[in-house]
Amino acid sequence: MSPTSGAVLVFNAGSSSLKYQLVQPADGTVLAEGIAERIGDTGSSMTHEQNGETVTETLQLDDHLAAVRRAERFFADNGTDLADAGLSAVGHRVVHGGRSFYEPTVVTPEVISEIERISPLAPLHNPANLVGILAAQELLPDVPSVAIFDTAFFHGLPDASATYAIDRAVADEHAIRRYGFHGTSHEYVSGRVAEFLDRDPASLNQIVLHLGNGASASAIAGGQPIDTSMGMTPLEGLVMGTRSGDIDPGLVLHLNRVANLSVGEIDTLLNKRSGLRGLCGENDFRAITELMESGDDAARRAFDVYIHRLRRYLGAYAFALGRVDAITFTAGVGENSAVVRCCALAGLEGFGIVVDEERNAVRSKAARRISADGSAVEVLVVPTNEELAIARQSAAVVGG
Ligand code: AMP
């Protein structure tokens, strides 16, 4: 049997980027991966890794279809004819499922129309995801496309945590509720936590901290999320790389009425020029840590605000859960920044949370425990793998 037989090609299309990975869902083997950046802009580039070799190319990519076509040729150069590779599915990350989608969904023309209809809920993301779907369908018409929604895991959030306290009629008319995002990651990581601890997921109360450039926290009781920090959009919640997270909504009104910023300008301010970047000019924790070490006050404040917000959510979720069995860090910052993990949980011994300094300092790509022996709450670092989760869910829905 060919190594690609039954594999899933996973696409994660952003507004100007396209990440892809060819993965075997059964054992998680990554057969190839790549990324196209600055699509539709000058200086677009693509990187493709396969058979232990990495090729980077600067080329003109006018649209996502051009990137998918170039990816197909990269595969062909490595001896993989995608159309004839026995793929079970192409799995697509779709950011917003709105009220319509909360299961892995085989893409049909009706599904495409519905994703288009709900795109105003995620104007930065869903249209790009759709372009990725259409490009993949054009290239691989015989392979089923499956949409995996970032909101799906949080579909069953209790009403009390999903509901904004605004006029009910307005909320209903405009599909306003807390949807939550990064669901594929929170679901995958919380499942891995149960495996790592060799516990039945139904018996565990967990807090998962997905700390990447975007960041979110979730409280999960017995495998079901009961709260999450992102809301109607991915802007709510934790301080992020370039997003503000929680702010007083009155601030938006003030920016408009007093600072004379348009809605579009406020959107850009809160999504792209806020968070760590807004506070200190950097959104990468490696740079922020270096700046702090050199005595930079703005970087120190950005770090402190980030940690303060994180601890506020930890406290809230601990009370929402009533008992916490495990706190898990994941994604770029969570997996790599020992100082963030340490500061997030410092001084919480009274709550049964004790981080072991040496374990926390170890750098590793494996799931690991960083709590001290005897800590009542397990503290873990578990690498997320959204591509594998998408591949598994896609293969499962097409019967692969
Ligand atoms: P993600 O969105 O999950 O890819 O995470 C990206 C973020 O992870 C970057 O913006 C960095 O802030 C952070 N990051 C990645 N590697 C490291 C590292 N070695 N140390 C600290 N932060 C890191």
Side-chain angles (χ1 to χ4, degrees), residues 210-214 283-286 289 331-333 336-337 363:
H210 176 112
L211 309 179
N213 200 28
N283 59 309
D284 191 312
F285 256 103
R286 286 162 286 199
T289 312
V333 179
N336 293 299
S337 177
R363 297 192 60 82

Side-chain angles (χ1 to χ4, degrees), residues 213 240-244 269-275 277 283:
N213 200 28
M240 310 182 209
T242 64
R243 295 187 205 130
S244 62
L269 175 78
L270 297 178
N271 276 297
K272 302 231 159 79
R273 290 172 42 217
S274 294
R277 161 95 51 88
N283 59 309

Side-chain angles (χ1 to χ4, degrees), residues 50-134:
Q50 193 172 359
N51 301 327
E53 276 183 37
T54 306
V55 184
T56 299
E57 190 177 297
T58 308
L59 72 174
Q60 186 55 39
L61 292 172
D62 290 331
D63 52 28
H64 285 70
L65 183 56
V68 174
R69 287 214 166 103
R70 184 65 192 98
E72 186 194 34
R73 280 189 280 121
F74 277 127
F75 277 107
D77 294 345
N78 280 277
T80 306
D81 176 357
L82 281 180
D84 197 28
L87 304 187
S88 60
V90 184
H92 297 270
R93 173 173 184 240
V94 180
V95 167
H96 217 306
R99 290 185 288 203
S100 312
F101 299 111
Y102 42 88
E103 303 278 1
T105 303
V106 176
V107 178
T108 61
E110 293 74 34
V111 168
I112 289 178
S113 306
E114 185 59 13
I115 296 176
E116 254 164 15
R117 195 187 65 77
I118 61 177
S119 278
L121 288 169
L124 298 178
H125 296 101
N126 272 29
N129 302 152
L130 261 182
V131 170
I133 291 176
L134 295 172

Side-chain angles (χ1 to χ4, degrees), residues 172-195:
D172 285 345
E173 187 183 344
H174 296 286
I176 292 171
R177 55 159 271 171
R178 305 189 63 253
Y179 289 94
F181 297 86
H182 289 150
T184 307
S185 178
H186 285 277
E187 182 175 20
Y188 173 82
V189 169
S190 57
R192 288 280 297 122
V193 168
E195 279 172 18

Side-chain angles (χ1 to χ4, degrees), residues 2 50 56 97 144 156 172 198 233 261 265 286 309 337 374 377 379:
S2 113
Q50 193 172 359
T56 299
D172 285 345
D198 199 16
T233 76
L261 297 190
E265 286 167 332
R286 286 162 286 199
R309 183 80 50 85
S337 177
V377 178
V379 183

Side-chain angles (χ1 to χ4, degrees), residues 119-356:
S119 278
L121 288 169
L124 298 178
H125 296 101
N126 272 29
N129 302 152
L130 261 182
V131 170
I133 291 176
L134 295 172
Q137 287 196 325
E138 182 158 341
L139 219 69
L140 299 168
D142 298 328
V143 183
S145 279
V146 181
I148 306 294
F149 298 90
D150 226 24
T151 46
F153 183 53
F154 299 114
H155 169 70
L157 275 186
D159 234 18
S161 99
T163 305
Y164 289 110
I166 64 165
D167 183 287
R168 212 46 254 147
V170 174
D172 285 345
E173 187 183 344
H174 296 286
I176 292 171
R177 55 159 271 171
R178 305 189 63 253
Y179 289 94
F181 297 86
H182 289 150
T184 307
S185 178
H186 285 277
E187 182 175 20
Y188 173 82
V189 169
S190 57
R192 288 280 297 122
V193 168
E195 279 172 18
F196 182 89
L197 297 174
D198 199 16
R199 295 270 302 269
D200 177 359
S203 72
L204 282 178
N205 278 0
Q206 310 189 35
I207 298 175
V208 175
L209 302 170
H210 176 112
L211 309 179
N213 200 28
S216 60
S218 67
I220 301 171
Q224 296 304 316
I226 61 162
D227 208 348
T228 192
S229 60
M230 284 177 166
M232 164 93 180
T233 76
L235 191 50
E236 188 178 339
L238 301 176
V239 175
M240 310 182 209
T242 64
R243 295 187 205 130
S244 62
D246 295 335
I247 50 164
D248 175 352
L251 201 150
V252 174
L253 310 178
H254 184 84
L255 287 169
N256 179 251
R257 288 187 190 131
V258 179
N260 282 324
L261 297 190
S262 68
V263 170
E265 286 167 332
I266 297 171
D267 189 339
T268 304
L269 175 78
L270 297 178
N271 276 297
K272 302 231 159 79
R273 290 172 42 217
S274 294
L276 296 166
R277 161 95 51 88
L279 289 171
C280 72
E282 290 285 351
N283 59 309
D284 191 312
F285 256 103
R286 286 162 286 199
I288 291 171
T289 312
E290 274 176 30
L291 281 170
M292 279 201 307
E293 281 161 6
S294 71
D296 187 285
D297 288 340
R300 164 54 64 184
R301 176 195 278 148
F303 184 85
D304 289 348
V305 173
Y306 184 94
I307 295 292
H308 180 82
R309 183 80 50 85
L310 199 50
R311 289 169 68 96
R312 182 190 279 175
Y313 272 91
L314 279 165
Y317 287 178
F319 262 49
L321 288 164
R323 182 199 80 233
V324 182
D325 300 305
I327 297 173
T328 305
F329 291 87
T330 193
V333 179
E335 290 166 31
N336 293 299
S337 177
V339 63
V340 165
R341 295 191 298 256
C342 168
C343 293
L345 299 178
L348 299 180
E349 294 77 8
F351 292 96
I353 301 168
V354 189
V355 173
D356 181 284

